């Protein structure tokens, strides 16, 4: 419990990935933030290197690797702080819908491109008036003789500009009961009636192309319905465990990196009396406290990774891990700034960026309040 048994192959994969990210991804972070988007060429290169959808079976162009390889990618992306390049959302949140619920035709049509980086994937549930409460979504679909027709709009969709395929949740215009009304559809970029809006301006994740999406008389083939008609809620629920675990793994790795960076900076800084900042009792105690919290969270999250990889139902625990780790990341980024003072702002953007980028993590993938609501219900409270 609390330890992940990585093999030599996992370690070698991590080392190679870390070198690649340090050399080929991290140096572009600032330019991508200024552009407000990660170029498609970077996605393509990640695919060529074999770092997208590593779990996809070889029959669909993937490498058929275990979940721990995905965890390594989440951790290493968090380690370089490139949170706008949402590789794990693509590989471990969206593409699993295509694999699990897509027909053989859908799998063959999209999975090879998602692995190679030719196709970036997104999932569109949220609407201007439907975030936590998806039952209140108003985007609809209707069935015609040879197609489904989507109408409505989505907002705050990650990878919204780059996406070549998007999984869209919409309600049946003929069904009253909300929990039987939602279906999921695979919509390709370029389909008439599907339009991408502008990139949304955000306080953080500035290289992430979060966007609005519009569907206007958007006619899609019947074969693009995922799973059974009306089973959208069930499919979304089934995939929540992994989505929340992705969030927890990334937030924890981000918080661990932040504490390492804070420690390093505090060693370098000299304060008033000529002493290194690290010798101030307040700084030392804060670093000890943050490290102790992270060690507990590390044991908890590792255990969940093991259980999830073994197929266990740990949705309540992953909900707890999601709010715990994302709260740590936010608390620690604010605390690091306070401890380091102007030293946190003087040379690079590491600490301010952590503060900006971490802020959304308690909000997306289910808000932290909703995580607590789920846990409270499970605990019979
Ligand atoms: C950067 C970013 C990227 C995103 N990417 C995507 C994406 O790729 N695809 C997608 O579909 N969506 C995406 N979202 C949307 C995200 O999932 C929603 O923001 C989130 O679900 C919360 O919805 P909301 O913002 O409408 O808040 P609301 O649901 O309106 O909630 C507002 C407040 O009320 C609280 N609240 C709501 N209901 C309850 C309740 N029952 N009990 C207690 N408290 C409650 C919430 O916790 C929150 O504090 C993204 C959002 C952001 C900011």
């Amino acid at each position: 419990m609390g330890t992940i048994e990585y093999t030599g192959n996992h370690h070698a994969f991590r080392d190679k990935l870390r070198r690649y990210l340090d050399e080929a991804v991290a140096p572009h972070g600032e330019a991508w933030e200024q552009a407000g988007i990660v170029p498609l060429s970077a996605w393509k290169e990640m695919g060529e290197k074999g770092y997208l959808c590593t779990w996809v079976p070889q029959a669909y162009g993937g490498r058929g690797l275990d979940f721990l390889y995905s965890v390594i990618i989440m951790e290493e992306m968090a380690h370089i702080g490139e949170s706008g390049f949402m590789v794990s959302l693509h590989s471990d949140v969206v593409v699993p819908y295509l694999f699990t619920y897509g027909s053989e035709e859908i799998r063959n049509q999209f999975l090879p491109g998602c692995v190679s980086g030719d196709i970036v994937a997104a999932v569109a549930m949220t609407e201007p008036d439907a975030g936590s409460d998806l039952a209140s979504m108003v985007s609809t679909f209707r069935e015609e003789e040879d197609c489904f027709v989507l109408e409505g709009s989505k907002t705050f969709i990650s990878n919204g500009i780059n996406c070549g395929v998007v999984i869209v949740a919409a309600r049946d215009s003929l069904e009253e009961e909300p929990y039987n009304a939602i279906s999921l559809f695979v919509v390709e970029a370029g389909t008439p009636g599907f339009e991408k809006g502008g990139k949304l301006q955000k306080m953080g994740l500035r290289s992430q192309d979060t966007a609005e999406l519009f569907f206007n008389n958007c006619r899609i083939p019947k074969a693009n319905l995922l799973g059974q008609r009306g089973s959208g809620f069930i499919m979304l629920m089934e995939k929540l465990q992994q989505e929340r675990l992705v969030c927890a793994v990334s937030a924890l790795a981000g918080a661990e990196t932040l504490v390492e960076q804070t420690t390093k900076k505090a060693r370098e800084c000299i304060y008033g009396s000529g002493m290194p900042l690290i010798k101030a009792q307040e700084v030392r105690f804060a670093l000890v406290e943050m490290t102790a919290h992270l060690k507990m969270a590390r044991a908890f999250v590792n255990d969940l990774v093991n259980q999830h990889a073994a197929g266990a139902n740990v949705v309540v625990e992953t909900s707890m891990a999601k709010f715990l780790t994302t709260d740590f990341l936010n608390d620690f980024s604010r605390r690091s700034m306070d401890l380091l003072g102007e030293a946190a702002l003087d040379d690079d953007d590491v600490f301010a960026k952590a503060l900006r980028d971490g802020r959304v993590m308690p909000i997306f993938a289910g808000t932290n309040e909703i995580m607590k609501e789920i846990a409270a219900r499970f605990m019979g409270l």
Side-chain angles (χ1 to χ4, degrees):
M1 183 173 159
T3 306
I4 296 178
E5 299 293 333
Y6 288 114
T7 64
N9 285 344
H10 289 122
H11 289 301
F13 179 88
R14 187 189 290 276
D15 291 345
K16 198 168 164 199
L17 170 65
R18 186 173 282 202
R19 274 199 303 279
Y20 172 70
L21 295 179
D22 282 345
E23 285 162 18
V25 175
H28 299 293
E30 209 176 314
W32 292 347
E33 287 224 317
Q34 275 164 18
I37 193 163
V38 175
L40 283 168
S41 56
W43 282 94
K44 184 97 182 80
E45 204 177 295
M46 280 293 262
E48 280 164 6
K49 296 284 174 195
Y51 296 137
L52 296 179
C53 310
T54 48
W55 56 271
V56 165
Q58 290 177 354
Y60 305 104
R63 301 172 71 178
L65 298 176
D66 64 46
F67 183 63
L68 296 186
Y69 288 88
S70 294
V71 169
I72 291 169
I73 295 170
M74 292 165 212
E75 289 180 345
E76 294 305 314
M77 288 299 285
H79 185 68
I80 60 162
E82 188 30 74
S83 27
F85 190 1
M86 286 201 175
V87 166
S88 297
L89 173 80
H90 166 90
S91 298
D92 303 302
V93 175
V94 188
V95 176
Y97 283 98
L98 296 171
F99 179 73
T100 311
Y101 306 114
S103 61
E104 203 51 27
E105 188 186 337
I106 290 285
R107 289 176 172 190
N108 284 315
Q109 190 179 349
F110 294 105
L111 292 180
C114 292
V115 172
S116 66
D118 288 300
I119 301 175
V120 176
V123 61
M125 298 177 268
T126 304
E127 298 180 2
D129 293 320
S132 304
D133 182 18
L134 287 178
S136 56
M137 76 172 59
V138 293
S139 292
T140 59
F141 72 90
R142 67 176 187 276
E143 187 169 9
E144 293 199 353
E145 202 174 317
D146 57 345
C147 64
F148 287 105
V149 185
L150 293 179
E151 305 278 1
S153 67
K154 299 287 174 180
T155 192
F156 274 104
I157 305 308
S158 303
N159 296 342
I161 302 296
N162 274 333
C163 68
V165 66
V166 56
I167 303 200
V168 181
R171 67 183 308 136
D172 192 329
S173 52
L174 300 175
E175 174 64 58
E176 298 278 308
E177 165 56 45
Y179 293 98
N180 296 328
I182 309 290
S183 291
L184 302 183
F185 298 92
V186 180
V187 183
E188 268 187 277
T191 305
F194 168 30
E195 275 180 41
K196 300 173 178 179
K199 289 194 299 270
L200 298 171
Q201 296 294 322
K202 311 181 294 301
M203 70 173 276
L205 303 184
R206 291 179 180 169
S207 61
Q208 167 46 227
D209 51 312
T210 319
E212 288 179 296
L213 304 179
F214 301 98
F215 304 91
N216 228 319
N217 194 27
C218 178
R219 310 173 84 81
I220 56 163
K222 286 200 170 170
N224 286 23
L225 170 71
L226 275 187
Q228 299 297 310
R229 180 173 175 164
S231 63
F233 260 112
I234 295 168
M235 292 188 276
L236 292 169
M237 295 303 130
E238 281 175 357
K239 293 294 177 199
L240 286 182
Q241 176 166 307
Q242 179 148 318
E243 181 176 355
R244 285 169 191 164
L245 193 53
V246 168
C247 216
V249 167
S250 305
L252 177 58
E256 288 170 341
T257 304
L258 182 75
V259 171
E260 278 168 28
Q261 288 162 333
T262 307
T263 308
K264 181 170 178 285
K265 195 75 173 173
R267 281 190 204 287
E268 290 165 5
C269 292
I270 305 296
Y271 74 117
S273 58
M275 291 240 292
L277 195 57
I278 195 92
K279 292 296 171 198
Q281 188 183 61
E282 189 190 339
V283 174
R284 294 164 68 232
F285 283 10
L287 289 170
V288 169
E289 280 170 27
M290 291 192 282
T291 303
H293 281 109
L294 289 177
K295 281 182 181 295
M296 282 196 297
R298 172 52 65 195
F300 183 32
V301 170
N302 281 356
D303 184 46
L304 292 178
V305 166
N306 287 333
Q307 293 201 57
H308 177 74
N313 180 343
V314 282
V315 71
V316 175
E317 290 79 2
T318 53
S319 304
M320 290 175 172
K322 193 265 175 181
F323 78 71
L324 205 67
T325 53
T326 56
D327 280 351
F328 281 166
L329 179 61
N330 275 275
D331 290 348
F332 297 177
S333 55
R334 186 185 45 75
R335 207 162 170 193
S336 293
M337 274 260 179
D338 290 343
L339 292 172
L340 296 172
E342 65 179 18
L345 301 166
D346 63 1
D347 51 359
D348 52 36
D349 197 28
V350 167
F351 299 97
K353 187 171 182 314
L355 199 63
R356 290 197 305 267
D357 287 354
R359 189 60 197 88
V360 74
M361 294 195 83
I363 299 171
F364 65 19
T367 68
N368 283 7
E369 290 77 17
I370 295 292
M371 298 301 105
K372 289 171 195 171
E373 184 58 39
I374 291 167
R377 271 187 226 165
F378 175 78
M379 292 162 67
L381 306 176

